[in-house]
Amino acid sequence: MTERTIQIPRVVCTIPAPVFLVALAALLSLTARIASGQLPLADALLTADRAGFANRAAAGTRTAQHGAALGALRGILPSVRFDAGYVRTTDPIGTFGATLRQRAATAADFDPARLNHPDAVGNYGTAVVVEQPLFNADAWTGRRAASRAEDAAAETQQWTTLSTRAGVVRAYYGAVLAAERATTLGAALTAARAHVRDAESLVRNGSATKSDALLATVRADDIESQLLDASGNSTNALRQLEIALGQEPTGNIVLPRELPGSAAIRQAASGDTAREAATQRGDVEAAQSVLDASRADVTRAHSAYVPRVNGFARYDWNSAATLYGGDKNWTVGVMASWAPFAGASEIADAETAAGHAAAARAGADGAIAKAKLELETTRVALGVALARLDIAEHAAAQSGEAHRMVARKYDAGLASIAELLDAHAVQVQSALALSQSRFAVIAASAERKLALGRDPGALAVLDGSSPTVGGNTSRTEPEQRR
Protein backbone atom coordinates (compact mmCIF):
# COMPACT_ATOMS: atom_id res chain seq x y z
CA MET A 1 0.00 0.00 0.00
CA THR A 2 2.83 2.40 0.84
CA GLU A 3 4.51 1.71 -2.50
CA ARG A 4 1.38 2.67 -4.46
CA THR A 5 0.85 5.92 -2.60
CA ILE A 6 4.36 6.94 -3.57
CA GLN A 7 3.96 6.06 -7.25
CA ILE A 8 0.74 7.97 -7.88
CA PRO A 9 2.22 11.46 -7.40
CA ARG A 10 5.10 10.54 -9.70
CA VAL A 11 2.72 9.83 -12.56
CA VAL A 12 0.89 13.10 -12.05
CA CYS A 13 4.11 15.08 -11.91
CA THR A 14 5.19 13.83 -15.33
CA ILE A 15 2.70 16.24 -17.00
CA PRO A 16 4.75 19.04 -18.58
CA ALA A 17 4.25 22.33 -16.81
CA PRO A 18 3.55 24.32 -20.04
CA VAL A 19 0.79 21.92 -21.06
CA PHE A 20 -0.76 22.15 -17.62
CA LEU A 21 -0.59 25.94 -17.68
CA VAL A 22 -2.14 26.10 -21.17
CA ALA A 23 -5.00 23.82 -20.13
CA LEU A 24 -5.50 25.74 -16.89
CA ALA A 25 -5.51 29.09 -18.73
CA ALA A 26 -8.06 27.80 -21.26
CA LEU A 27 -10.25 26.41 -18.47
CA LEU A 28 -10.11 29.68 -16.54
CA SER A 29 -10.85 31.63 -19.74
CA LEU A 30 -13.86 29.44 -20.55
CA THR A 31 -15.10 29.68 -16.94
CA ALA A 32 -14.80 33.46 -17.07
CA ARG A 33 -16.74 33.63 -20.34
CA ILE A 34 -19.53 31.47 -18.95
CA ALA A 35 -19.69 33.56 -15.78
CA SER A 36 -19.91 36.76 -17.86
CA GLY A 37 -22.70 35.39 -20.01
CA GLN A 38 -20.57 35.13 -23.16
CA LEU A 39 -21.71 32.70 -25.81
CA PRO A 40 -19.04 30.07 -26.65
CA LEU A 41 -18.71 29.14 -30.31
CA ALA A 42 -19.61 25.51 -29.54
CA ASP A 43 -22.95 26.61 -28.07
CA ALA A 44 -23.58 28.86 -31.05
CA LEU A 45 -22.97 25.94 -33.40
CA LEU A 46 -25.36 23.68 -31.51
CA THR A 47 -28.00 26.42 -31.52
CA ALA A 48 -27.65 26.80 -35.29
CA ASP A 49 -27.83 23.02 -35.75
CA ARG A 50 -31.18 23.02 -34.00
CA ALA A 51 -32.74 26.36 -34.95
CA GLY A 52 -30.91 27.60 -38.08
CA PHE A 53 -33.38 28.51 -40.81
CA ALA A 54 -31.61 26.55 -43.56
CA ASN A 55 -31.17 23.54 -41.27
CA ARG A 56 -34.84 23.51 -40.34
CA ALA A 57 -35.84 23.75 -44.00
CA ALA A 58 -33.49 20.89 -44.92
CA ALA A 59 -34.89 18.77 -42.07
CA GLY A 60 -38.43 19.43 -43.30
CA THR A 61 -37.47 18.47 -46.85
CA ARG A 62 -35.93 15.25 -45.60
CA THR A 63 -39.08 14.40 -43.63
CA ALA A 64 -41.23 15.08 -46.68
CA GLN A 65 -39.01 12.91 -48.85
CA HIS A 66 -39.20 10.12 -46.27
CA GLY A 67 -42.97 10.35 -46.52
CA ALA A 68 -42.75 10.11 -50.30
CA ALA A 69 -40.59 6.99 -49.99
CA LEU A 70 -43.18 5.42 -47.69
CA GLY A 71 -45.94 6.35 -50.13
CA ALA A 72 -44.22 4.30 -52.82
CA LEU A 73 -45.00 1.17 -50.77
CA ARG A 74 -48.65 1.37 -51.76
CA GLY A 75 -47.95 -0.73 -54.83
CA ILE A 76 -45.94 -3.31 -52.86
CA LEU A 77 -47.47 -3.92 -49.44
CA PRO A 78 -50.96 -5.32 -48.81
CA SER A 79 -53.86 -3.09 -47.88
CA VAL A 80 -56.87 -3.77 -45.65
CA ARG A 81 -60.15 -1.96 -46.10
CA PHE A 82 -63.44 -2.00 -44.15
CA ASP A 83 -66.61 -1.05 -46.05
CA ALA A 84 -70.05 -0.36 -44.64
CA GLY A 85 -73.18 1.10 -46.20
CA TYR A 86 -76.97 1.03 -46.37
CA VAL A 87 -79.12 0.88 -49.52
CA ARG A 88 -82.90 0.90 -49.90
CA THR A 89 -84.25 0.50 -53.39
CA THR A 90 -87.21 -0.56 -55.57
CA ASP A 91 -84.97 -1.37 -58.53
CA PRO A 92 -85.94 -4.90 -59.66
CA ILE A 93 -82.36 -6.10 -60.00
CA GLY A 94 -81.28 -4.35 -56.79
CA THR A 95 -84.13 -5.72 -54.69
CA PHE A 96 -83.73 -9.28 -55.98
CA GLY A 97 -79.95 -9.16 -55.55
CA ALA A 98 -80.25 -7.81 -52.00
CA THR A 99 -82.74 -10.55 -51.14
CA LEU A 100 -80.38 -13.21 -52.49
CA ARG A 101 -77.39 -11.72 -50.63
CA GLN A 102 -79.40 -11.81 -47.41
CA ARG A 103 -80.28 -15.45 -48.18
CA ALA A 104 -83.96 -14.58 -47.74
CA ALA A 105 -85.29 -15.58 -51.21
CA THR A 106 -88.46 -17.70 -51.32
CA ALA A 107 -90.56 -19.17 -54.12
CA ALA A 108 -92.85 -16.13 -53.90
CA ASP A 109 -89.98 -13.88 -54.88
CA PHE A 110 -89.98 -15.51 -58.34
CA ASP A 111 -93.51 -14.36 -59.08
CA PRO A 112 -93.24 -12.28 -62.30
CA ALA A 113 -95.46 -9.55 -60.90
CA ARG A 114 -93.31 -9.25 -57.80
CA LEU A 115 -90.12 -9.37 -59.89
CA ASN A 116 -91.37 -6.56 -62.09
CA HIS A 117 -92.86 -4.43 -59.31
CA PRO A 118 -91.00 -5.30 -56.10
CA ASP A 119 -91.52 -3.67 -52.74
CA ALA A 120 -88.67 -1.55 -51.40
CA VAL A 121 -85.88 -3.60 -49.87
CA GLY A 122 -83.24 -2.27 -47.45
CA ASN A 123 -79.78 -3.80 -47.11
CA TYR A 124 -76.87 -3.19 -44.75
CA GLY A 125 -73.78 -4.14 -46.74
CA THR A 126 -70.47 -4.56 -44.93
CA ALA A 127 -67.16 -6.02 -46.04
CA VAL A 128 -63.54 -6.62 -45.09
CA VAL A 129 -61.25 -6.42 -48.14
CA VAL A 130 -57.59 -7.42 -48.35
CA GLU A 131 -55.68 -6.45 -51.52
CA GLN A 132 -52.19 -7.74 -52.21
CA PRO A 133 -50.09 -6.50 -55.15
CA LEU A 134 -48.38 -9.53 -56.66
CA PHE A 135 -46.31 -8.02 -59.44
CA ASN A 136 -46.16 -4.26 -60.01
CA ALA A 137 -42.84 -3.52 -61.68
CA ASP A 138 -43.41 0.24 -61.69
CA ALA A 139 -44.09 0.19 -57.93
CA TRP A 140 -40.80 -1.56 -57.15
CA THR A 141 -38.75 0.72 -59.38
CA GLY A 142 -40.66 3.74 -58.06
CA ARG A 143 -39.81 2.64 -54.53
CA ARG A 144 -36.13 2.51 -55.44
CA ALA A 145 -36.31 5.99 -56.97
CA ALA A 146 -38.03 7.36 -53.86
CA SER A 147 -35.44 5.74 -51.59
CA ARG A 148 -32.58 7.31 -53.54
CA ALA A 149 -34.35 10.66 -53.38
CA GLU A 150 -34.64 10.23 -49.61
CA ASP A 151 -30.90 9.53 -49.47
CA ALA A 152 -30.29 12.74 -51.41
CA ALA A 153 -32.42 14.69 -48.92
CA ALA A 154 -30.49 13.21 -45.99
CA GLU A 155 -27.14 14.05 -47.58
CA THR A 156 -28.33 17.54 -48.44
CA GLN A 157 -29.37 18.02 -44.82
CA GLN A 158 -25.93 16.94 -43.65
CA TRP A 159 -24.23 19.32 -46.09
CA THR A 160 -26.55 22.13 -45.10
CA THR A 161 -25.60 21.60 -41.47
CA LEU A 162 -21.89 21.83 -42.27
CA SER A 163 -22.42 24.86 -44.52
CA THR A 164 -24.41 26.55 -41.78
CA ARG A 165 -21.62 25.80 -39.32
CA ALA A 166 -19.09 27.44 -41.63
CA GLY A 167 -21.36 30.47 -41.83
CA VAL A 168 -21.72 30.56 -38.05
CA VAL A 169 -17.93 30.46 -37.60
CA ARG A 170 -17.56 33.41 -39.99
CA ALA A 171 -20.40 35.34 -38.38
CA TYR A 172 -19.19 34.60 -34.83
CA TYR A 173 -15.61 35.68 -35.36
CA GLY A 174 -16.76 38.45 -37.70
CA ALA A 175 -18.69 39.90 -34.76
CA VAL A 176 -15.65 39.42 -32.51
CA LEU A 177 -13.51 41.17 -35.15
CA ALA A 178 -15.93 44.10 -35.22
CA ALA A 179 -15.77 44.35 -31.42
CA GLU A 180 -11.97 44.19 -31.48
CA ARG A 181 -11.81 46.94 -34.10
CA ALA A 182 -14.04 49.10 -31.91
CA THR A 183 -11.78 48.45 -28.92
CA THR A 184 -8.64 49.29 -30.90
CA LEU A 185 -10.14 52.48 -32.28
CA GLY A 186 -11.42 53.44 -28.85
CA ALA A 187 -7.91 53.23 -27.44
CA ALA A 188 -6.56 55.06 -30.49
CA LEU A 189 -9.11 57.85 -29.99
CA THR A 190 -8.02 58.28 -26.38
CA ALA A 191 -4.38 58.59 -27.50
CA ALA A 192 -5.33 60.93 -30.36
CA ARG A 193 -7.17 63.26 -28.02
CA ALA A 194 -4.13 63.30 -25.76
CA HIS A 195 -2.06 64.28 -28.80
CA VAL A 196 -4.51 67.09 -29.51
CA ARG A 197 -4.10 68.41 -25.97
CA ASP A 198 -0.31 68.23 -26.29
CA ALA A 199 -0.38 70.03 -29.62
CA GLU A 200 -2.63 72.80 -28.27
CA SER A 201 -0.33 73.18 -25.27
CA LEU A 202 2.69 73.44 -27.54
CA VAL A 203 0.93 76.07 -29.64
CA ARG A 204 0.24 78.12 -26.53
CA ASN A 205 3.91 77.78 -25.52
CA GLY A 206 5.08 78.76 -28.98
CA SER A 207 6.75 75.37 -29.55
CA ALA A 208 4.40 74.33 -32.36
CA THR A 209 2.37 75.94 -35.08
CA LYS A 210 -1.39 76.22 -35.29
CA SER A 211 -1.32 73.78 -38.21
CA ASP A 212 0.10 71.07 -35.94
CA ALA A 213 -2.84 71.41 -33.56
CA LEU A 214 -5.29 71.43 -36.47
CA LEU A 215 -3.67 68.33 -37.93
CA ALA A 216 -3.90 66.55 -34.57
CA THR A 217 -7.59 67.49 -34.37
CA VAL A 218 -8.25 66.19 -37.88
CA ARG A 219 -6.54 62.89 -37.04
CA ALA A 220 -8.61 62.54 -33.85
CA ASP A 221 -11.84 63.35 -35.72
CA ASP A 222 -10.97 60.74 -38.36
CA ILE A 223 -10.40 58.09 -35.71
CA GLU A 224 -13.66 59.04 -33.98
CA SER A 225 -15.48 58.66 -37.29
CA GLN A 226 -13.95 55.21 -37.77
CA LEU A 227 -14.95 54.33 -34.22
CA LEU A 228 -18.57 55.25 -34.90
CA ASP A 229 -18.57 53.01 -37.97
CA ALA A 230 -16.91 50.22 -36.02
CA SER A 231 -19.45 50.46 -33.20
CA GLY A 232 -22.35 50.30 -35.64
CA ASN A 233 -20.75 47.43 -37.53
CA SER A 234 -20.24 45.57 -34.25
CA THR A 235 -23.95 45.73 -33.43
CA ASN A 236 -24.91 44.73 -36.96
CA ALA A 237 -22.45 41.83 -36.87
CA LEU A 238 -24.14 40.55 -33.72
CA ARG A 239 -27.50 40.74 -35.46
CA GLN A 240 -26.13 38.83 -38.45
CA LEU A 241 -24.87 36.14 -36.09
CA GLU A 242 -28.31 35.88 -34.50
CA ILE A 243 -29.87 35.40 -37.93
CA ALA A 244 -27.32 32.64 -38.63
CA LEU A 245 -28.40 31.03 -35.35
CA GLY A 246 -32.07 31.16 -36.35
CA GLN A 247 -32.95 33.86 -33.81
CA GLU A 248 -34.48 37.31 -33.81
CA PRO A 249 -31.86 40.01 -34.61
CA THR A 250 -31.69 41.89 -31.31
CA GLY A 251 -27.92 42.43 -31.03
CA ASN A 252 -27.96 41.28 -27.40
CA ILE A 253 -25.55 38.34 -27.70
CA VAL A 254 -22.41 38.70 -25.59
CA LEU A 255 -19.18 37.59 -27.28
CA PRO A 256 -15.46 37.87 -26.53
CA ARG A 257 -13.99 41.30 -27.21
CA GLU A 258 -10.90 40.07 -29.04
CA LEU A 259 -9.92 37.39 -31.51
CA PRO A 260 -7.82 34.36 -30.54
CA GLY A 261 -4.05 34.76 -30.71
CA SER A 262 -2.16 34.16 -33.94
CA ALA A 263 -0.43 31.04 -32.62
CA ALA A 264 -3.75 29.37 -31.75
CA ILE A 265 -5.21 30.32 -35.13
CA ARG A 266 -2.23 28.87 -36.99
CA GLN A 267 -2.46 25.67 -34.99
CA ALA A 268 -6.18 25.27 -35.74
CA ALA A 269 -5.56 25.79 -39.47
CA SER A 270 -2.36 23.76 -39.74
CA GLY A 271 -4.05 20.47 -40.61
CA ASP A 272 -5.80 21.85 -43.69
CA THR A 273 -2.98 23.41 -45.70
CA ALA A 274 -1.84 20.29 -47.56
CA ARG A 275 -3.12 19.34 -51.01
CA GLU A 276 -5.56 16.47 -50.51
CA ALA A 277 -8.81 15.05 -51.79
CA ALA A 278 -12.18 15.67 -50.19
CA THR A 279 -13.88 12.85 -48.33
CA GLN A 280 -17.64 12.34 -48.23
CA ARG A 281 -18.77 15.79 -49.27
CA GLY A 282 -22.49 15.89 -48.71
CA ASP A 283 -23.26 18.01 -51.76
CA VAL A 284 -21.46 15.62 -54.10
CA GLU A 285 -23.10 12.58 -52.52
CA ALA A 286 -26.50 14.26 -52.67
CA ALA A 287 -26.04 15.04 -56.37
CA GLN A 288 -25.06 11.41 -57.02
CA SER A 289 -28.12 10.18 -55.11
CA VAL A 290 -30.33 12.50 -57.18
CA LEU A 291 -28.78 10.98 -60.30
CA ASP A 292 -29.46 7.46 -59.01
CA ALA A 293 -33.04 8.43 -58.20
CA SER A 294 -33.59 9.89 -61.67
CA ARG A 295 -32.20 6.78 -63.33
CA ALA A 296 -34.51 4.60 -61.24
CA ASP A 297 -37.39 6.87 -62.23
CA VAL A 298 -36.57 6.29 -65.90
CA THR A 299 -36.83 2.55 -65.23
CA ARG A 300 -40.14 3.14 -63.45
CA ALA A 301 -41.53 5.05 -66.42
CA HIS A 302 -40.62 2.22 -68.78
CA SER A 303 -42.05 -0.35 -66.35
CA ALA A 304 -45.49 1.12 -66.95
CA TYR A 305 -45.61 -1.01 -70.11
CA VAL A 306 -45.35 -4.22 -68.05
CA PRO A 307 -48.66 -5.85 -66.98
CA ARG A 308 -49.66 -5.54 -63.34
CA VAL A 309 -50.90 -8.52 -61.34
CA ASN A 310 -52.84 -8.04 -58.09
CA GLY A 311 -54.72 -10.37 -55.77
CA PHE A 312 -57.60 -9.71 -53.42
CA ALA A 313 -59.77 -11.44 -50.82
CA ARG A 314 -62.94 -10.22 -49.15
CA TYR A 315 -65.66 -11.14 -46.70
CA ASP A 316 -69.13 -9.63 -47.23
CA TRP A 317 -72.12 -9.41 -44.88
CA ASN A 318 -75.62 -8.44 -46.01
CA SER A 319 -78.51 -7.91 -43.63
CA ALA A 320 -81.85 -6.13 -43.62
CA ALA A 321 -81.46 -5.24 -39.93
CA THR A 322 -77.87 -4.52 -38.86
CA LEU A 323 -74.25 -4.04 -39.87
CA TYR A 324 -72.16 -7.19 -40.02
CA GLY A 325 -75.35 -9.19 -39.72
CA GLY A 326 -76.44 -12.26 -41.63
CA ASP A 327 -74.29 -14.93 -43.19
CA LYS A 328 -70.91 -13.95 -44.58
CA ASN A 329 -69.69 -14.54 -48.12
CA TRP A 330 -66.08 -14.79 -49.21
CA THR A 331 -64.45 -13.98 -52.51
CA VAL A 332 -60.85 -14.39 -53.66
CA GLY A 333 -59.37 -13.50 -56.98
CA VAL A 334 -56.37 -12.49 -59.08
CA MET A 335 -56.50 -9.76 -61.66
CA ALA A 336 -53.99 -8.81 -64.35
CA SER A 337 -54.17 -5.48 -66.10
CA TRP A 338 -52.20 -4.12 -69.01
CA ALA A 339 -52.42 -0.66 -70.55
CA PRO A 340 -50.01 -0.57 -73.53
CA PHE A 341 -51.38 2.81 -74.56
CA ALA A 342 -52.99 5.39 -72.32
CA GLY A 343 -53.41 8.46 -74.48
CA ALA A 344 -49.63 8.96 -74.84
CA SER A 345 -49.35 9.72 -71.11
CA GLU A 346 -46.80 6.91 -70.69
CA ILE A 347 -44.67 8.41 -73.48
CA ALA A 348 -44.80 11.83 -71.81
CA ASP A 349 -43.87 10.25 -68.47
CA ALA A 350 -40.87 8.48 -70.00
CA GLU A 351 -39.62 11.64 -71.69
CA THR A 352 -40.05 13.65 -68.50
CA ALA A 353 -38.07 11.08 -66.53
CA ALA A 354 -35.35 11.03 -69.18
CA GLY A 355 -35.09 14.83 -69.05
CA HIS A 356 -34.78 14.77 -65.27
CA ALA A 357 -32.06 12.13 -65.54
CA ALA A 358 -30.09 14.28 -67.99
CA ALA A 359 -30.39 17.28 -65.68
CA ALA A 360 -29.31 15.16 -62.71
CA ARG A 361 -26.29 13.90 -64.66
CA ALA A 362 -25.26 17.49 -65.33
CA GLY A 363 -25.87 18.37 -61.68
CA ALA A 364 -23.67 15.50 -60.46
CA ASP A 365 -20.88 16.44 -62.88
CA GLY A 366 -21.18 20.06 -61.80
CA ALA A 367 -21.03 19.14 -58.11
CA ILE A 368 -17.84 17.13 -58.67
CA ALA A 369 -16.25 19.96 -60.67
CA LYS A 370 -17.29 22.52 -58.06
CA ALA A 371 -15.82 20.37 -55.27
CA LYS A 372 -12.50 20.07 -57.12
CA LEU A 373 -12.41 23.82 -57.72
CA GLU A 374 -13.16 24.59 -54.08
CA LEU A 375 -10.42 22.21 -52.97
CA GLU A 376 -7.86 24.25 -54.86
CA THR A 377 -9.25 27.73 -54.24
CA THR A 378 -9.64 27.19 -50.49
CA ARG A 379 -6.14 25.72 -50.23
CA VAL A 380 -4.70 28.75 -52.00
CA ALA A 381 -6.88 31.15 -49.99
CA LEU A 382 -5.79 29.61 -46.69
CA GLY A 383 -2.14 29.74 -47.70
CA VAL A 384 -2.46 33.39 -48.71
CA ALA A 385 -4.28 34.23 -45.46
CA LEU A 386 -1.54 32.60 -43.39
CA ALA A 387 1.16 34.45 -45.33
CA ARG A 388 -0.66 37.75 -44.89
CA LEU A 389 -0.96 37.03 -41.17
CA ASP A 390 2.84 36.71 -40.99
CA ILE A 391 3.21 40.03 -42.81
CA ALA A 392 0.60 41.74 -40.63
CA GLU A 393 2.29 40.52 -37.45
CA HIS A 394 5.64 41.82 -38.67
CA ALA A 395 4.10 45.14 -39.68
CA ALA A 396 2.32 45.51 -36.34
CA ALA A 397 5.54 44.83 -34.45
CA GLN A 398 7.52 47.23 -36.62
CA SER A 399 4.93 50.01 -36.43
CA GLY A 400 4.66 49.63 -32.68
CA GLU A 401 8.41 49.90 -32.27
CA ALA A 402 8.52 52.86 -34.67
CA HIS A 403 5.82 54.63 -32.67
CA ARG A 404 7.72 54.08 -29.46
CA MET A 405 10.92 55.42 -31.01
CA VAL A 406 9.22 58.52 -32.39
CA ALA A 407 7.52 59.05 -29.01
CA ARG A 408 10.90 58.99 -27.27
CA LYS A 409 12.30 61.43 -29.80
CA TYR A 410 9.24 63.63 -29.39
CA ASP A 411 9.65 63.63 -25.60
CA ALA A 412 13.29 64.66 -26.10
CA GLY A 413 12.27 67.44 -28.47
CA LEU A 414 13.84 65.75 -31.50
CA ALA A 415 10.61 64.97 -33.38
CA SER A 416 7.65 67.11 -34.36
CA ILE A 417 4.04 66.51 -33.39
CA ALA A 418 3.35 65.71 -37.05
CA GLU A 419 5.85 62.82 -36.97
CA LEU A 420 4.27 61.52 -33.77
CA LEU A 421 0.80 61.66 -35.33
CA ASP A 422 2.00 59.83 -38.43
CA ALA A 423 3.65 57.10 -36.36
CA HIS A 424 0.52 56.69 -34.25
CA ALA A 425 -1.72 56.49 -37.33
CA VAL A 426 0.49 53.79 -38.87
CA GLN A 427 0.42 51.77 -35.64
CA VAL A 428 -3.39 51.96 -35.47
CA GLN A 429 -3.80 50.84 -39.07
CA SER A 430 -1.29 48.02 -38.55
CA ALA A 431 -3.23 46.83 -35.48
CA LEU A 432 -6.48 46.87 -37.47
CA ALA A 433 -4.80 45.02 -40.34
CA LEU A 434 -3.53 42.37 -37.93
CA SER A 435 -7.04 41.82 -36.56
CA GLN A 436 -8.39 41.52 -40.10
CA SER A 437 -5.63 39.04 -41.00
CA ARG A 438 -6.43 36.85 -38.00
CA PHE A 439 -10.09 36.79 -38.97
CA ALA A 440 -9.18 36.05 -42.60
CA VAL A 441 -7.29 32.92 -41.54
CA ILE A 442 -10.22 31.74 -39.41
CA ALA A 443 -12.70 32.31 -42.25
CA ALA A 444 -10.39 30.67 -44.80
CA SER A 445 -9.87 27.71 -42.49
CA ALA A 446 -13.64 27.26 -42.09
CA GLU A 447 -14.09 27.30 -45.87
CA ARG A 448 -11.19 24.90 -46.30
CA LYS A 449 -12.65 22.43 -43.83
CA LEU A 450 -15.99 22.63 -45.60
CA ALA A 451 -14.35 22.06 -48.98
CA LEU A 452 -12.65 18.97 -47.57
CA GLY A 453 -15.96 17.64 -46.25
CA ARG A 454 -14.92 18.21 -42.64
CA ASP A 455 -16.72 19.97 -39.82
CA PRO A 456 -15.94 23.70 -39.62
CA GLY A 457 -17.18 23.51 -36.04
CA ALA A 458 -13.80 22.04 -35.12
CA LEU A 459 -12.63 25.66 -34.93
CA ALA A 460 -14.48 25.90 -31.61
CA VAL A 461 -11.13 24.88 -30.08
CA LEU A 462 -10.11 28.50 -30.61
CA ASP A 463 -12.21 29.57 -27.63
CA GLY A 464 -11.51 26.46 -25.56
CA SER A 465 -14.89 24.83 -26.28
CA SER A 466 -15.66 21.65 -28.15
CA PRO A 467 -18.44 21.13 -30.71
CA THR A 468 -20.82 18.17 -30.77
CA VAL A 469 -22.26 16.77 -34.00
CA GLY A 470 -24.70 13.89 -34.10
CA GLY A 471 -23.89 12.85 -30.56
CA ASN A 472 -20.14 12.69 -31.16
CA THR A 473 -18.01 15.08 -29.14
CA SER A 474 -14.70 16.19 -30.56
CA ARG A 475 -12.10 16.81 -27.85
CA THR A 476 -9.01 18.78 -28.73
CA GLU A 477 -6.34 20.28 -26.50
CA PRO A 478 -7.16 23.96 -25.93
CA GLU A 479 -4.86 26.37 -27.70
CA GLN A 480 -2.90 29.01 -25.82
CA ARG A 481 -3.93 32.55 -26.58
CA ARG A 482 -1.52 35.31 -27.07
Side-chain angles (χ1 to χ4, degrees):
M1 180 65 69
T2 304
E3 187 175 293
R4 291 181 183 175
T5 57
I6 294 173
Q7 289 178 349
I8 291 175
R10 291 178 181 176
V11 174
V12 174
C13 291
T14 57
I15 299 176
V19 174
F20 173 75
L21 293 176
V22 169
L24 180 60
L27 178 61
L28 292 175
S29 176
L30 179 59
T31 303
R33 288 198 305 273
I34 294 174
S36 65
Q38 290 183 8
L39 176 69
L41 177 57
D43 290 352
L45 292 169
L46 292 177
T47 299
D49 289 347
R50 180 182 64 256
F53 299 121
N55 289 344
R56 286 159 52 192
T61 300
R62 179 179 182 180
T63 300
Q65 196 58 57
H66 178 67
L70 292 177
L73 294 173
R74 284 177 295 184
I76 300 174
L77 298 180
S79 63
V80 179
R81 187 177 77 250
F82 294 87
D83 296 335
Y86 177 78
V87 175
R88 186 170 181 81
T89 182
T90 58
D91 175 68
I93 295 177
T95 56
F96 191 73
T99 302
L100 286 177
R101 291 190 182 96
Q102 295 170 7
R103 290 181 169 85
T106 63
D109 293 316
F110 291 89
D111 178 44
R114 190 169 183 176
L115 287 174
N116 290 324
H117 303 284
D119 296 331
V121 173
N123 182 68
Y124 288 94
T126 51
V128 176
V129 183
V130 178
E131 297 175 339
Q132 173 61 64
L134 300 178
F135 179 74
N136 289 345
D138 56 337
W140 284 98
T141 53
R143 166 64 177 171
R144 183 176 183 277
S147 296
R148 297 291 80 77
E150 182 183 1
D151 292 342
E155 288 149 359
T156 298
Q157 181 186 13
Q158 177 193 20
W159 182 250
T160 301
T161 298
L162 292 182
S163 299
T164 299
R165 284 186 154 230
V168 168
V169 170
R170 290 193 301 270
Y172 184 94
Y173 282 114
V176 176
L177 170 66
E180 184 173 299
R181 285 179 61 86
T183 300
T184 300
L185 289 169
L189 180 59
T190 300
R193 285 172 175 167
H195 291 158
V196 170
R197 290 192 294 270
D198 287 345
E200 291 174 345
S201 177
L202 290 174
V203 170
R204 287 193 296 269
N205 295 335
S207 301
T209 64
K210 182 65 175 177
S211 61
D212 291 329
L214 294 175
L215 180 60
T217 302
V218 170
R219 291 284 174 82
D221 290 344
D222 180 62
I223 293 176
E224 185 175 8
S225 177
Q226 293 183 55
L227 177 58
L228 291 174
D229 286 340
S231 298
N233 290 338
S234 179
T235 301
N236 290 335
L238 289 176
R239 293 192 177 106
Q240 290 174 0
L241 174 60
E242 288 169 329
I243 291 295
L245 300 182
Q247 300 177 352
E248 290 293 328
T250 62
N252 294 328
I253 291 180
V254 180
L255 299 180
R257 300 295 298 176
E258 60 180 15
L259 291 166
S262 299
I265 293 174
R266 287 193 184 91
Q267 181 63 30
S270 62
D272 302 324
T273 56
R275 187 190 300 270
E276 55 184 307
T279 56
Q280 298 180 343
R281 275 188 52 143
D283 58 338
V284 175
E285 292 184 343
Q288 186 60 50
S289 293
V290 170
L291 176 58
D292 293 341
S294 64
R295 287 171 172 171
D297 194 52
V298 170
T299 304
R300 177 206 57 78
H302 291 143
S303 298
Y305 293 100
V306 179
R308 300 180 179 88
V309 181
N310 298 287
F312 67 93
R314 62 183 294 153
Y315 276 109
D316 290 275
W317 291 263
N318 291 274
S319 170
T322 181
L323 294 172
Y324 293 98
D327 293 334
K328 62 177 178 291
N329 308 311
W330 60 264
T331 307
V332 296
V334 176
M335 179 167 33
S337 60
W338 184 39
F341 185 77
S345 60
E346 69 286 351
I347 299 176
D349 189 22
E351 288 193 5
T352 300
H356 288 162
R361 174 74 269 176
D365 292 342
I368 293 173
K370 178 174 175 286
K372 291 179 178 179
L373 175 63
E374 290 178 352
L375 279 175
E376 287 304 307
T377 56
T378 55
R379 182 183 63 83
V380 172
L382 181 57
V384 170
L386 287 168
R388 294 184 66 179
L389 177 58
D390 293 338
I391 296 171
E393 279 189 304
H394 181 71
Q398 295 294 326
S399 64
E401 182 61 24
H403 185 208
R404 285 189 290 272
M405 293 172 64
V406 172
R408 287 196 296 268
K409 292 171 62 178
Y410 175 78
D411 293 338
L414 302 176
S416 67
I417 186 66
E419 292 178 287
L420 181 61
L421 292 175
D422 288 340
H424 177 251
V426 171
Q427 184 184 22
V428 171
Q429 294 306 314
S430 296
L432 296 176
L434 178 57
S435 297
Q436 183 64 42
S437 296
R438 286 174 175 167
F439 169 75
V441 174
I442 295 174
S445 180
E447 293 297 329
R448 178 62 173 165
K449 290 181 186 298
L450 183 64
L452 289 168
R454 298 173 184 168
D455 181 14
L459 291 171
V461 298
L462 289 172
D463 67 356
S465 56
S466 182
T468 300
V469 185
N472 296 325
T473 303
S474 173
R475 300 289 181 186
T476 308
E477 190 68 27
E479 301 294 337
Q480 183 178 12
R481 293 194 180 182
R482 197 168 71 173

